[in-house]
PDB file of all heavy atoms in Angstrom:
ATOM      1  N   ARG A 229     -21.008   4.628  69.125  1.00 42.00           N
ATOM      2  CA  ARG A 229     -21.680   5.822  68.644  1.00 42.00           C
ATOM      3  C   ARG A 229     -22.730   5.502  67.629  1.00 42.00           C
ATOM      4  O   ARG A 229     -22.612   4.534  66.881  1.00 42.00           O
ATOM      5  CB  ARG A 229     -20.651   6.782  68.034  1.00 42.00           C
ATOM      6  CG  ARG A 229     -19.759   7.469  69.091  1.00 42.00           C
ATOM      7  CD  ARG A 229     -18.687   8.296  68.465  1.00 42.00           C
ATOM      8  NE  ARG A 229     -17.627   7.450  67.926  1.00 42.00           N
ATOM      9  CZ  ARG A 229     -16.525   7.961  67.361  1.00 42.00           C
ATOM     10  NH1 ARG A 229     -16.350   9.254  67.260  1.00 42.00           N
ATOM     11  NH2 ARG A 229     -15.618   7.129  66.938  1.00 42.00           N
ATOM     12  N   SER A 230     -23.805   6.261  67.644  1.00 38.00           N
ATOM     13  CA  SER A 230     -24.869   6.034  66.668  1.00 38.00           C
ATOM     14  C   SER A 230     -24.350   6.197  65.242  1.00 38.00           C
ATOM     15  O   SER A 230     -23.456   7.032  65.011  1.00 38.00           O
ATOM     16  CB  SER A 230     -26.044   6.945  66.914  1.00 38.00           C
ATOM     17  OG  SER A 230     -25.664   8.298  66.773  1.00 38.00           O
ATOM     18  N   HIS A 231     -24.889   5.442  64.343  1.00 37.00           N
ATOM     19  CA  HIS A 231     -24.383   5.441  62.962  1.00 37.00           C
ATOM     20  C   HIS A 231     -25.297   6.255  62.051  1.00 37.00           C
ATOM     21  O   HIS A 231     -26.452   6.027  61.990  1.00 37.00           O
ATOM     22  CB  HIS A 231     -24.309   3.996  62.430  1.00 37.00           C
ATOM     23  CG  HIS A 231     -23.901   3.901  61.038  1.00 37.00           C
ATOM     24  ND1 HIS A 231     -22.627   4.269  60.616  1.00 37.00           N
ATOM     25  CD2 HIS A 231     -24.567   3.518  59.924  1.00 37.00           C
ATOM     26  CE1 HIS A 231     -22.559   4.094  59.327  1.00 37.00           C
ATOM     27  NE2 HIS A 231     -23.699   3.663  58.852  1.00 37.00           N
ATOM     28  N   ASP A 232     -24.673   7.161  61.313  1.00 37.00           N
ATOM     29  CA  ASP A 232     -25.393   7.956  60.337  1.00 37.00           C
ATOM     30  C   ASP A 232     -25.332   7.245  58.999  1.00 37.00           C
ATOM     31  O   ASP A 232     -24.350   7.351  58.268  1.00 37.00           O
ATOM     32  CB  ASP A 232     -24.775   9.365  60.240  1.00 37.00           C
ATOM     33  CG  ASP A 232     -25.479  10.225  59.191  1.00 37.00           C
ATOM     34  OD1 ASP A 232     -26.487   9.794  58.632  1.00 37.00           O
ATOM     35  OD2 ASP A 232     -24.957  11.320  58.913  1.00 37.00           O
ATOM     36  N   ARG A 233     -26.395   6.484  58.665  1.00 33.00           N
ATOM     37  CA  ARG A 233     -26.366   5.659  57.483  1.00 33.00           C
ATOM     38  C   ARG A 233     -26.389   6.473  56.188  1.00 33.00           C
ATOM     39  O   ARG A 233     -26.203   5.925  55.126  1.00 33.00           O
ATOM     40  CB  ARG A 233     -27.492   4.633  57.499  1.00 33.00           C
ATOM     41  CG  ARG A 233     -28.876   5.262  57.393  1.00 33.00           C
ATOM     42  CD  ARG A 233     -29.907   4.126  57.485  1.00 33.00           C
ATOM     43  NE  ARG A 233     -31.291   4.673  57.406  1.00 33.00           N
ATOM     44  CZ  ARG A 233     -31.930   4.884  56.265  1.00 33.00           C
ATOM     45  NH1 ARG A 233     -31.364   4.631  55.114  1.00 33.00           N
ATOM     46  NH2 ARG A 233     -33.135   5.329  56.277  1.00 33.00           N
ATOM     47  N   THR A 234     -26.639   7.792  56.291  1.00 34.00           N
ATOM     48  CA  THR A 234     -26.674   8.579  55.059  1.00 34.00           C
ATOM     49  C   THR A 234     -25.290   8.944  54.591  1.00 34.00           C
ATOM     50  O   THR A 234     -25.140   9.472  53.487  1.00 34.00           O
ATOM     51  CB  THR A 234     -27.456   9.867  55.304  1.00 34.00           C
ATOM     52  OG1 THR A 234     -26.772  10.669  56.282  1.00 34.00           O
ATOM     53  CG2 THR A 234     -28.869   9.590  55.780  1.00 34.00           C
ATOM     54  N   ARG A 235     -24.244   8.608  55.350  1.00 35.00           N
ATOM     55  CA  ARG A 235     -22.876   9.025  54.973  1.00 35.00           C
ATOM     56  C   ARG A 235     -22.383   8.231  53.796  1.00 35.00           C
ATOM     57  O   ARG A 235     -22.136   8.764  52.720  1.00 35.00           O
ATOM     58  CB  ARG A 235     -21.931   8.852  56.128  1.00 35.00           C
ATOM     59  CG  ARG A 235     -22.215   9.868  57.284  1.00 35.00           C
ATOM     60  CD  ARG A 235     -21.305   9.588  58.437  1.00 35.00           C
ATOM     61  NE  ARG A 235     -19.875   9.681  58.062  1.00 35.00           N
ATOM     62  CZ  ARG A 235     -18.917   9.101  58.725  1.00 35.00           C
ATOM     63  NH1 ARG A 235     -19.167   8.394  59.791  1.00 35.00           N
ATOM     64  NH2 ARG A 235     -17.672   9.250  58.321  1.00 35.00           N
ATOM     65  N   TYR A 236     -22.190   6.929  53.984  1.00 39.00           N
ATOM     66  CA  TYR A 236     -21.701   6.147  52.841  1.00 39.00           C
ATOM     67  C   TYR A 236     -22.038   4.656  52.938  1.00 39.00           C
ATOM     68  O   TYR A 236     -21.861   3.939  51.988  1.00 39.00           O
ATOM     69  CB  TYR A 236     -20.176   6.241  52.718  1.00 39.00           C
ATOM     70  CG  TYR A 236     -19.406   5.971  53.983  1.00 39.00           C
ATOM     71  CD1 TYR A 236     -19.036   4.705  54.299  1.00 39.00           C
ATOM     72  CD2 TYR A 236     -19.016   7.021  54.806  1.00 39.00           C
ATOM     73  CE1 TYR A 236     -18.314   4.430  55.456  1.00 39.00           C
ATOM     74  CE2 TYR A 236     -18.289   6.748  55.956  1.00 39.00           C
ATOM     75  CZ  TYR A 236     -17.931   5.459  56.265  1.00 39.00           C
ATOM     76  OH  TYR A 236     -17.225   5.241  57.418  1.00 39.00           O
ATOM     77  N   TRP A 237     -22.666   4.238  54.036  1.00 43.00           N
ATOM     78  CA  TRP A 237     -23.002   2.836  54.132  1.00 43.00           C
ATOM     79  C   TRP A 237     -24.408   2.549  53.620  1.00 43.00           C
ATOM     80  O   TRP A 237     -24.906   1.458  53.780  1.00 43.00           O
ATOM     81  CB  TRP A 237     -22.893   2.377  55.599  1.00 43.00           C
ATOM     82  CG  TRP A 237     -21.523   2.537  56.133  1.00 43.00           C
ATOM     83  CD1 TRP A 237     -21.120   3.382  57.140  1.00 43.00           C
ATOM     84  CD2 TRP A 237     -20.337   1.886  55.691  1.00 43.00           C
ATOM     85  NE1 TRP A 237     -19.777   3.258  57.332  1.00 43.00           N
ATOM     86  CE2 TRP A 237     -19.277   2.392  56.459  1.00 43.00           C
ATOM     87  CE3 TRP A 237     -20.066   0.961  54.692  1.00 43.00           C
ATOM     88  CZ2 TRP A 237     -17.954   1.952  56.280  1.00 43.00           C
ATOM     89  CZ3 TRP A 237     -18.784   0.526  54.490  1.00 43.00           C
ATOM     90  CH2 TRP A 237     -17.727   1.034  55.273  1.00 43.00           C
ATOM     91  N   ASP A 238     -25.051   3.552  52.987  1.00 40.00           N
ATOM     92  CA  ASP A 238     -26.367   3.334  52.468  1.00 40.00           C
ATOM     93  C   ASP A 238     -26.294   2.629  51.111  1.00 40.00           C
ATOM     94  O   ASP A 238     -26.713   3.104  50.075  1.00 40.00           O
ATOM     95  CB  ASP A 238     -27.067   4.726  52.296  1.00 40.00           C
ATOM     96  CG  ASP A 238     -28.567   4.527  52.112  1.00 40.00           C
ATOM     97  OD1 ASP A 238     -29.084   3.395  52.253  1.00 40.00           O
ATOM     98  OD2 ASP A 238     -29.215   5.540  51.761  1.00 40.00           O
ATOM     99  N   HIS A 239     -25.690   1.454  51.129  1.00 40.00           N
ATOM    100  CA  HIS A 239     -25.569   0.648  49.947  1.00 40.00           C
ATOM    101  C   HIS A 239     -26.945   0.119  49.490  1.00 40.00           C
ATOM    102  O   HIS A 239     -27.827  -0.047  50.321  1.00 40.00           O
ATOM    103  CB  HIS A 239     -24.628  -0.532  50.225  1.00 40.00           C
ATOM    104  CG  HIS A 239     -24.170  -1.267  49.023  1.00 40.00           C
ATOM    105  ND1 HIS A 239     -24.927  -2.141  48.294  1.00 40.00           N
ATOM    106  CD2 HIS A 239     -22.933  -1.231  48.341  1.00 40.00           C
ATOM    107  CE1 HIS A 239     -24.251  -2.628  47.325  1.00 40.00           C
ATOM    108  NE2 HIS A 239     -23.058  -2.087  47.293  1.00 40.00           N
ATOM    109  N   ARG A 240     -27.082  -0.083  48.224  1.00 33.00           N
ATOM    110  CA  ARG A 240     -28.377  -0.529  47.705  1.00 33.00           C
ATOM    111  C   ARG A 240     -28.895  -1.770  48.427  1.00 33.00           C
ATOM    112  O   ARG A 240     -30.125  -1.926  48.583  1.00 33.00           O
ATOM    113  CB  ARG A 240     -28.265  -0.810  46.205  1.00 33.00           C
ATOM    114  CG  ARG A 240     -28.033   0.425  45.357  1.00 33.00           C
ATOM    115  CD  ARG A 240     -27.868   0.024  43.931  1.00 33.00           C
ATOM    116  NE  ARG A 240     -26.750  -0.926  43.774  1.00 33.00           N
ATOM    117  CZ  ARG A 240     -26.490  -1.569  42.654  1.00 33.00           C
ATOM    118  NH1 ARG A 240     -27.260  -1.406  41.592  1.00 33.00           N
ATOM    119  NH2 ARG A 240     -25.452  -2.394  42.560  1.00 33.00           N
ATOM    120  N   GLN A 241     -28.036  -2.696  48.819  1.00 37.00           N
ATOM    121  CA  GLN A 241     -28.484  -3.939  49.448  1.00 37.00           C
ATOM    122  C   GLN A 241     -28.107  -3.999  50.916  1.00 37.00           C
ATOM    123  O   GLN A 241     -28.007  -5.055  51.481  1.00 37.00           O
ATOM    124  CB  GLN A 241     -27.919  -5.130  48.677  1.00 37.00           C
ATOM    125  CG  GLN A 241     -28.365  -5.171  47.225  1.00 37.00           C
ATOM    126  CD  GLN A 241     -27.807  -6.414  46.532  1.00 37.00           C
ATOM    127  OE1 GLN A 241     -27.781  -7.499  47.154  1.00 37.00           O
ATOM    128  NE2 GLN A 241     -27.438  -6.302  45.307  1.00 37.00           N
TER     129      GLN A 241
END
Side-chain angles (χ1 to χ4, degrees):
R229 286 175 284 183
S230 60
H231 176 66
D232 177 7
R233 66 183 179 88
T234 63
R235 291 176 59 201
Y236 51 86
W237 300 114
D238 194 10
H239 193 283
R240 291 176 303 170
Q241 300 183 37

